Amino acid sequence: MPRSVNAVASRARRKKVLKATKGYFGRGKNVWTVAKNKYEKGLQYAYRDRKAKKREFRSLWIQRINAGAREHGLSYSQFMGLLKKADIELNRKVLADLAMNHPEAFKAVVERVK
């Protein structure tokens, strides 16, 4: 009896991977073994960087808030401490947006906590 290999599923799996690696450099786009390795590595990077993205954005927001606060004579840590004391619950994302795009609104927040 001949061996059953389910070529339909194998081909579909390979097509899925090769479609996902379209645009990769060199043999990574058309050689099955190379493409499979690059595809799996790409998924690892994507998983890792979804976590890293959150850290990077939080860091960016803190820098923007710090720059905005220093224009009004406060450091970042002083400003955040005063915010907590004044019981103002604005997150860093919103504060950074105010500091960058709406300086008059950010100034009002600073004056409120001083």
Side-chain angles (χ1 to χ4, degrees):
M1 189 169 172
R3 191 169 70 101
S4 174
V5 291
N6 196 359
V8 175
S10 302
R11 169 62 52 198
R13 189 167 51 249
R14 290 190 194 115
K15 272 181 70 174
K16 183 184 83 172
V17 170
L18 287 171
K19 186 177 181 215
T21 58
K22 189 183 263 186
Y24 281 20
F25 182 79
R27 288 183 295 175
K29 66 176 159 282
N30 53 13
V31 175
W32 163 244
T33 50
V34 180
K36 180 171 61 101
N37 292 335
K38 284 193 161 215
Y39 173 74
E40 288 171 356
K41 190 66 170 178
L43 292 177
Q44 289 176 346
Y45 285 140
Y47 178 81
R48 178 196 70 188
D49 291 339
R50 280 196 297 274
K51 314 290 178 233
K53 182 180 175 185
K54 294 166 180 59
R55 293 194 294 269
E56 288 167 10
F57 268 102
R58 184 183 171 95
S59 167
L60 176 69
W61 297 331
I62 288 170
Q63 290 170 24
R64 288 178 175 177
I65 295 166
N66 190 24
R70 285 186 186 276
E71 286 180 354
H72 302 289
L74 291 171
S75 71
Y76 169 78
S77 61
Q78 290 169 333
F79 177 64
M80 294 309 279
L82 288 170
L83 266 181
K84 288 263 189 277
K85 252 187 221 168
D87 210 34
I88 297 175
E89 292 185 14
L90 288 175
N91 63 21
R92 286 165 181 80
K93 182 178 178 179
V94 170
L95 286 168
D97 184 56
L98 290 177
M100 278 286 290
N101 303 319
H102 308 285
E104 65 287 337
F106 188 76
K107 183 179 181 185
V109 172
V110 172
E111 296 303 322
R112 179 96 185 272
V113 298
K114 271 189 176 177

